[in-house]
Amino acid sequence: FINVLPELTDAEREQLAKDVKPICLALVKLRALAFKIINSSTILLLAWRCLLRKHKIVKRLIPRDVKTQWNSTFDMIAFGLKYRKYIEEFT
C-alpha cells in the first residue's frame, strides 16, 4: 500500500473526498442493513426472507463486513450489487 495523500494538493484532496463520499455512505448503509437483518430474529429477517421468496430467489443473508477478513468487504459489495434491486425494494 502506497499512501499518495501527502503528495496531493489541497484541491485534489477535496475532490477525492467528494468522489469517495457516496461510496462510503453506501458501504455504511449496507453494513447497517446487514447487521439489522442478521440480528433481527423476527421482523426484518422474516421480511427479507419473504421478499426473496416472492421473487423466487435463493434465501441468502447479506455477508457481514469483518475487519479480520480482508475479503469480507468485497463479498458484501458483490452481494449488494447482485441483489441491489431487492435491497432497494426492502428499504
Side-chain angles (χ1 to χ4, degrees), residues 19-85:
D19 293 343
V20 171
K21 189 172 184 171
I23 297 167
C24 292
L25 292 175
L27 279 174
V28 167
K29 289 179 182 180
L30 193 55
R31 283 182 183 123
L33 180 62
F35 181 82
K36 287 178 182 178
I37 289 174
I38 291 170
N39 291 315
S40 170
S41 59
T42 56
I43 299 169
L44 292 178
L45 183 59
L46 182 61
W48 175 252
R49 288 182 175 163
C50 287
L51 176 73
L52 294 179
R53 190 179 313 120
K54 180 177 100 175
H55 291 287
K56 297 182 174 117
I57 304 294
V58 177
K59 289 182 198 173
R60 185 150 180 243
L61 293 176
I62 301 172
R64 296 275 309 267
D65 186 19
V66 181
K67 290 181 181 181
T68 57
Q69 295 178 352
W70 64 271
N71 63 339
S72 63
T73 303
F74 175 81
D75 293 339
M76 185 181 67
I77 292 169
F79 180 91
L81 292 172
K82 183 176 180 181
Y83 285 75
R84 181 179 183 174
K85 180 171 81 171

